[in-house]
Amino acid sequence: MIQLLVSRIIGLVPLLLIVSFLTFGMLHMVPGDVRDRILGTDATAEQYEALGEKLGLNDPIVVQYARWLFNAVQGDLGTSAYNSQKVTDAVLDTLPVTLSLTLGGMFVAILIGVPAGVYAGLHRGSYIDRAAVLIATIGQSLPNFWVAMLLVIPLGLIWQVVPATGFVSPSDSITEWIKSITVASIALGTSASAALARQTRGAIIDVLRQDYIRTARSKGLSREVVTFKHALKNASVPVITTIGFQVNGLLGGALIVEQIFGLHGFGSLAIDAVRTQNMPMMQGVVIMGTLVIVLVNIGVDIAYGFVNPKVRSS
Amino acid sequence: MNTATHAPLTGTQRFLRAFLRNRLAVIAASYLVFVVLVALFGQYTLVHSPNEVNLSRALEGPSAEYWLGTDHLGRSTLSRVVAASRVALEAASLGVGIAILLGAPLGLVSGYFGGWWDRISMRIVEAIIALPALLVAIAIIAILGPNLTNAMIALGIANSTAFFRLMRGAALEVREELYVDAARVSGAAPTRVVFGHVLPNVTGPLTVQTTLAFSFVLLAEAGLSFIGLGVQPPNASWGAMLSVAQGFVYQHPFLAVPPGLMIMFSVLAFNLLGDGLRDAWARVDHQGEPTGAAKRRMGSAQQQDTESRAQSRDAADNAALLQVQNLEVRFPAPRGGELAVVSEVGFSVPAGKTVGLVGESGCGKSVTSMAVMGLLAEGGRIAAGSIRFDGEELVGLNETQLNKIRGAKIGMIFQEPSSSLNPAFTVQNQLGEALRVHEGLTNRQADARAIELMDQVGIPGASQRASDYPHQFSGGMAQRVMIAMALACRPKLLIADEPTTALDVTIQGQVLDLLSALQEAYDMSILLITHDLGVVADMCDEAVVMYAGQVIESGDVDAVLRSPGHPYTAGLIASIPQNQKRTGKLQQIPGRVPPAWDWPRGCRFFPRCPAASAACNQPEHIALTRLASGQDSRCVRATDIDVKTLW
């Protein structure tokens, strides 16, 4: 298990190198120059040169990347192109919001999607199953920010059971934190739960066809034991894989949904960076976003190891 | 087979029929056609231009003039929704187009040529997949500037990985196949191989992936426009309209309804279309449907049922442990109705004896044994007959009653030990289950007993291996675990369904020897299902030969093997390699067991029988008759031909 974890973390290194180099290279192909925006149009050539020197723009791109990487490894993702704000600080300030929403959405998706999928799979062909599949197909088609808008009207504005906007850090108050991300998490989790329910249903149906289910039944075990012991643990293997795939989509959804609730996360940071051509900031957000996805996936892999002995022992 | 009624359908026709039968998919396709028409021509029917501002009519609800109301600038929501549908479809087509044009050819090249190019591109694809797709899209917009086309380029690149992987997989597969090798050797250009072999194979999945990409890109476009990075005002887009609506969500919530529904319905339509296409293609790949003649026979099965009951076998042996009489098992036919896959099956297993159930695959041996266990696959049912075990009628028992017998009084082992053990639990856990359920042992007692059992079936180092998982056992050892599991509660009957077929030849003998030894030690009966007459000769006291869902011969194993009473049995005996005359040719029964809907009415074996005569192809049902040599046979010519010398 520890071996698995270590090998996954080591595997991260080349991935982050590729990702950071790709984004770094991409963001430096930008037409136009940040210096134009910072200095305005009537700057002198000396000012121009000096700023270029200060920002390190005069060096070849590989040197610039190496310098960025050298600092990044030490936790310094650079400085905003406009003010003295450290990119690392900005990213870490907004990380709790994005992480809360991503994990909250994942939690809701599992909470709804897995039981619904299990029930539908066990009652394949029943009316409830067919209704569940149809509802899941519809759920998959809902834009999550629309769901968020529709939910925030009754919950946040009319009944005011949860705050309509604003984020409370879990270190300040756990209950307020939960309240502040509930609606957004439900909105995010809806479409993810629909996809998860369909996958879970498929996994259950597939597992119930397996030989070992027949063996379990031939031993005279009750339907409950066959289902909840023998089928469920095996069906959870593909379901956990699906959850891993969904992290990417949930993070993307979180970027958009945070706008509705006035939460300041990676979404706001990225949108500001686009508007102001703040490339160091954009670079930092992309790297941190990748890191979030990969780390959550490692968590998923660990859960995978628990249900799949083949992974654990190899 | 009666195929004259309708000509065989081509692949395309069958695909269309399957697709058109899916009502939701047809509705979805029609809706999409409608949206395309609206996008193309809707603007000419509009009263108000989408950007026509009328501040005196701002934020109105639906009215005769403004069917869907107005927004904060008094612009017609209907007009904007129509204009936006054009934007959405154009944008989605662009995004999906880029994804396909970028991903598909690269994937094709990568899969077809392989090598270092393939390895590098796979690394890049993996990295792109790990990237936060939307964040990368935003980053690309940062470089190119916020507008719809740039957003779509970004989404196209992010989505191209799916097409890359799809085409790469297809190309790899085709490359491995012989016919392309042949095409390559014969000098076909790579382009011809691609267009002739790869593309036809991948059309189905490619279309499905395209519909999925459309729904993904539509949602993402709406999201990007919503946060102001896609379509720029004043142009209309569903996502941008929702962004406006968000500002007035408390004042005028209706503003959020039309664009939201448009997004939902369009994405839903693409999803449903994709599901429909996938199902239809799966249907085309699935060949073989019963013909009209077969359906007629399904109807007549009922009639046969009563006939056979009248001619019921009289060998009611009350001393037998297991007694099966007139068993008929039916399964749903592929196209409605039911098929009797096993009918008039009768045999008995005396206490302490071994009975072999013999026949080729598809004869109904396994179905018969599963019927005894009450474990018929989904949809199957016992339509007639009786299964008496240890004085108790099993037909008609409910699950709870059957669960008291399964695993306790009847144990079962299966063909594939590796897939018959649950990969997620230790063997000790699985061995102890029946003991905990049937004998009320505690976990600790069950664990101890599990080790004893493993020791008994000859697993070396039982106490250390007990906590291993099934994948850590070899095939032979796993089958020993299965045997230990089936015998855990000392059952009176062991049903062994092809217990050695999946094992190495050297291991087969060991497992059979183990079974014989355990039979003696446990004083149990064995119902041995096998296609191997050699195993029957070694292990069994009696043999029951099945063909096409019927028992065609049964009796003492010596009588059946020495002087077979049915040409089919004689054919099986002649096929044993040791029995062959050294002519250098391996004797085989020509043809194979036909599917259940294709069984002849009289003798089911006559199309393959060397002694077939007009009397065999009679419409009446043929009963078992007792022969002079002591066994029962279902051959009408059993007495007037020398069965033994037929092959």
Side-chain angles (χ1 to χ4, degrees):
Chain A
M1 205 57 180
I2 291 165
Q3 242 178 330
L4 173 79
L5 195 60
V6 169
S7 74
R8 287 292 277 112
I9 290 173
I10 292 172
L12 264 180
V13 176
L15 179 78
L16 286 176
L17 279 178
I18 295 178
V19 167
S20 60
F21 186 72
L22 283 180
T23 41
F24 197 86
M26 243 167 43
L27 291 171
H28 281 75
M29 294 189 309
V30 175
D33 201 314
V34 238
R35 285 175 285 192
D36 295 332
R37 288 183 156 240
I38 298 173
L39 297 170
T41 39
D42 39 46
T44 62
E46 287 81 42
Q47 282 178 309
Y48 214 77
E49 252 333 279
L51 186 64
E53 197 61 46
K54 186 182 156 221
L55 296 178
L57 298 176
N58 297 343
D59 297 320
I61 182 155
V62 182
V63 175
Q64 291 187 40
Y65 174 69
R67 188 163 48 222
W68 178 87
L69 188 66
F70 181 75
N71 292 326
V73 172
Q74 300 169 47
D76 179 8
L77 292 168
T79 312
S80 159
Y82 294 97
N83 46 38
S84 55
Q85 195 187 16
K86 282 282 177 195
V87 171
T88 313
D89 295 342
V91 170
L92 288 182
D93 279 348
T94 47
L95 177 67
V97 169
T98 302
L99 206 57
S100 299
L101 293 192
T102 306
L103 294 179
M106 199 165 135
F107 177 75
V108 171
I110 294 170
L111 201 68
I112 303 173
V114 171
V118 168
Y119 187 89
L122 291 177
H123 299 84
R124 186 155 73 113
S126 68
Y127 285 108
I128 293 184
D129 172 37
R130 272 183 264 173
V133 171
L134 190 62
I135 292 172
T137 313
I138 295 173
Q140 259 181 306
S141 314
L142 290 171
N144 42 33
F145 55 94
W146 189 52
V147 176
M149 282 170 69
L150 296 183
L151 286 176
V152 83
I153 298 173
L155 295 177
L157 297 172
I158 301 177
W159 299 324
Q160 305 194 341
V161 282
V162 293
T165 56
F167 179 73
V168 180
S169 166
S171 57
D172 294 339
S173 160
I174 295 283
T175 47
E176 290 306 311
W177 169 68
I178 292 174
K179 276 189 186 172
S180 71
I181 61 164
T182 300
V183 181
S185 300
I186 294 174
L188 278 173
T190 309
S191 59
S193 76
L196 196 56
R198 291 183 60 156
Q199 288 291 333
T200 307
R201 175 182 180 272
I204 288 279
I205 290 171
D206 185 56
V207 164
L208 286 180
R209 276 196 215 115
Q210 299 298 314
D211 287 349
Y212 52 78
I213 293 300
R214 187 181 59 182
T215 309
R217 295 188 65 199
S218 80
K219 286 194 279 191
L221 305 180
S222 67
R223 196 163 278 272
E224 290 72 36
V225 174
V226 172
T227 306
F228 290 103
K229 178 178 173 183
H230 287 268
L232 231 45
K233 194 169 174 188
N234 285 291
S236 58
V237 173
V239 170
I240 289 173
T241 310
T242 308
I243 294 172
F245 283 138
Q246 284 185 331
V247 179
N248 198 325
L250 283 167
L251 183 91
L255 302 181
I256 294 173
V257 166
E258 64 171 62
Q259 304 299 310
I260 293 167
F261 298 93
L263 307 175
H264 197 67
F266 281 5
S268 316
L269 213 55
I271 294 169
D272 282 349
V274 172
R275 294 257 161 78
T276 57
Q277 297 270 292
N278 191 347
M279 293 311 162
M281 194 64 85
M282 197 69 232
Q283 166 87 14
V285 178
V286 172
I287 289 293
M288 276 307 278
T290 311
L291 201 61
V292 168
I293 289 180
V294 178
L295 287 177
V296 175
N297 263 304
I298 288 183
V300 168
D301 277 357
I302 292 170
Y304 193 82
F306 273 110
V307 295
N308 189 345
K310 278 185 204 172
V311 173
R312 215 179 314 157
S313 58
S314 60
Chain B
M1 270 189 49
N2 180 3
T3 47
T5 42
H6 35 82
L9 297 169
T10 64
T12 320
Q13 282 172 316
R14 267 186 294 142
F15 168 75
L16 275 177
R17 276 179 61 164
F19 181 76
L20 292 176
R21 215 174 289 133
N22 185 337
R23 239 183 310 155
L24 279 176
V26 173
I27 293 172
S30 320
Y31 172 80
L32 288 175
V33 170
F34 172 72
V35 172
V36 169
L37 290 177
V38 165
L40 290 178
F41 307 110
Q43 50 185 316
Y44 306 113
T45 66
L46 295 174
V47 181
H48 301 277
S49 130
N51 291 336
E52 180 187 309
V53 174
N54 184 353
L55 289 173
S56 62
R57 306 289 303 267
L59 294 177
E60 283 184 12
S63 63
E65 190 185 353
Y66 294 104
W67 289 1
L68 294 176
T70 58
D71 68 1
H72 64 306
L73 299 175
R75 297 177 295 195
S76 157
T77 301
L78 176 67
S79 304
R80 291 184 70 74
V81 162
V82 168
S85 56
R86 185 186 190 120
V87 172
L89 286 184
E90 273 177 4
S93 309
L94 180 64
V96 175
I98 290 173
I100 296 176
L101 289 179
L102 187 69
L106 287 176
L108 199 61
V109 170
S110 205
Y112 188 77
F113 293 106
W116 60 269
W117 163 259
D118 184 43
R119 277 195 293 279
I120 292 175
S121 12
M122 271 317 277
R123 282 281 157 279
I124 294 174
V125 164
E126 276 166 24
I128 294 180
I129 290 169
L131 282 170
L134 206 72
L135 214 42
V136 172
I138 294 175
I140 295 179
I141 291 168
I143 300 162
L144 302 173
N147 71 49
L148 189 60
T149 311
N150 295 341
M152 288 305 114
I153 293 173
L155 290 174
I157 294 172
N159 226 10
S160 64
T161 54
F163 290 97
F164 178 93
R165 292 208 287 185
L166 185 71
M167 287 304 274
R168 176 178 176 271
L172 264 179
E173 205 171 290
V174 167
R175 197 164 73 114
E176 301 305 319
E177 279 174 32
L178 279 172
Y179 63 86
V180 176
D181 279 347
R184 245 193 288 180
V185 170
S186 65
T191 47
R192 260 197 48 208
V193 174
V194 165
F195 286 103
H197 301 283
V198 181
L199 286 184
N201 276 359
V202 84
T203 325
L206 204 58
T207 330
V208 173
Q209 186 60 47
T210 304
T211 62
L212 294 180
F214 261 104
S215 53
F216 173 83
V217 172
L218 272 178
L219 277 176
E221 182 270 316
L224 285 174
S225 296
F226 180 76
I227 55 175
L229 299 182
V231 174
Q232 297 299 308
N235 290 332
S237 133
W238 296 331
M241 289 176 75
L242 280 176
S243 172
V244 169
Q246 205 230 321
F248 302 92
V249 80
Y250 199 49
Q251 269 171 284
H252 193 60
F254 179 76
L255 211 48
V257 176
L261 286 180
M262 281 307 285
I263 300 173
M264 186 189 109
F265 283 135
S266 310
V267 175
L268 180 62
F270 276 114
N271 281 338
L272 287 173
L273 180 65
D275 286 353
L277 289 172
R278 187 195 333 245
D279 291 349
W281 256 295
R283 205 67 58 83
V284 174
D285 288 341
H286 181 78
Q287 299 275 355
E289 288 171 356
T291 58
K295 277 190 185 158
R296 274 197 301 283
R297 205 173 28 260
M298 283 172 222
S300 72
Q302 212 94 43
Q303 196 188 334
Q304 262 187 24
D305 189 25
T306 43
E307 280 171 34
S308 65
R309 213 164 286 179
Q311 289 158 335
S312 155
R313 212 179 149 213
D314 54 7
D317 179 0
N318 287 327
L321 179 68
L322 175 73
Q323 192 172 3
V324 177
Q325 275 180 296
N326 265 320
L327 183 69
E328 177 170 312
V329 177
R330 293 197 189 178
F331 274 91
R335 276 285 184 82
E338 278 186 325
L339 276 173
V341 297
V342 159
S343 50
E344 309 167 64
V345 166
F347 61 88
S348 55
V349 181
K353 300 281 186 193
T354 301
V355 173
L357 204 52
V358 197
E360 291 163 284
S361 15
C363 283
K365 308 173 305 241
S366 288
V367 171
T368 304
S369 64
M370 294 314 276
V372 172
M373 290 296 277
L375 290 178
L376 287 172
E378 203 182 327
R381 66 181 185 97
I382 296 174
S386 133
I387 301 167
R388 287 191 76 80
F389 172 74
D390 204 15
E392 190 178 2
E393 176 61 53
L394 299 189
V395 176
L397 290 190
N398 63 32
E399 282 292 301
T400 322
Q401 291 164 324
L402 280 170
N403 275 340
K404 294 213 170 77
I405 294 166
R406 293 197 282 244
K409 295 177 180 171
I410 307 180
M412 186 154 186
I413 57 179
F414 301 94
Q415 181 170 344
E416 286 284 349
S418 45
S419 64
S420 296
L421 290 166
N422 192 326
F425 297 95
T426 63
V427 294
Q428 189 169 33
N429 179 320
Q430 298 183 59
L431 276 165
E433 270 186 317
L435 291 163
R436 288 193 294 264
V437 170
H438 296 297
E439 299 185 359
L441 264 56
T442 63
N443 285 348
R444 188 186 297 220
Q445 289 169 324
D447 284 352
R449 181 94 178 92
I451 294 171
E452 271 174 51
L453 283 163
M454 287 173 70
D455 205 39
Q456 240 166 30
V457 294
I459 296 172
S463 51
Q464 287 94 52
R465 301 224 62 190
S467 52
D468 281 355
Y469 286 88
H471 71 270
Q472 291 162 303
F473 287 81
S474 68
M477 283 300 147
Q479 192 63 299
R480 285 172 193 262
V481 172
M482 274 301 297
I483 292 172
M485 208 155 85
L487 298 187
C489 297
R490 298 187 154 262
K492 293 180 175 174
L493 174 67
L494 177 72
I495 300 180
D497 189 351
E498 304 266 11
T500 58
T501 309
L503 304 179
D504 286 348
V505 185
T506 46
I507 310 290
Q508 287 182 5
Q510 293 175 16
V511 169
L512 290 175
D513 288 346
L514 175 70
L515 277 179
S516 301
L518 289 169
Q519 177 173 31
E520 206 141 309
Y522 281 70
D523 187 28
M524 62 181 178
S525 308
I526 297 180
L527 178 61
L528 183 68
I529 292 134
T530 179
H531 64 278
D532 187 343
L533 276 179
V535 172
V536 174
D538 283 347
M539 297 278 295
C540 299
D541 303 296
E542 285 174 33
V544 178
V545 186
M546 285 188 73
Y547 183 79
Q550 290 177 322
V551 172
I552 52 98
E553 178 166 4
S554 71
D556 180 74
V557 79
D558 287 333
V560 171
L561 293 183
R562 290 229 177 90
S563 54
H566 195 287
Y568 179 62
T569 316
L572 287 181
I573 294 169
S575 310
I576 304 174
Q578 296 95 298
N579 289 359
Q580 308 245 327
K581 299 170 198 125
R582 296 190 183 271
T583 53
K585 215 171 73 180
L586 210 60
Q587 179 71 54
Q588 262 192 330
I589 305 174
R592 57 193 178 94
V593 188
W597 55 80
D598 237 7
W599 287 340
R601 286 188 204 194
C603 172
R604 290 182 179 174
F605 184 61
F606 97 90
R608 302 171 71 189
C609 182
S613 72
C616 307
N617 190 15
Q618 57 184 340
E620 291 95 51
H621 146 269
I622 298 165
L624 280 169
T625 45
R626 179 71 43 91
L627 302 180
S629 43
Q631 72 265 45
D632 292 332
S633 163
R634 210 182 278 280
C635 178
V636 286
R637 304 198 63 197
T639 46
D640 60 86
I641 54 170
D642 184 1
V643 173
K644 206 179 170 184
T645 57
L646 276 177
W647 302 87

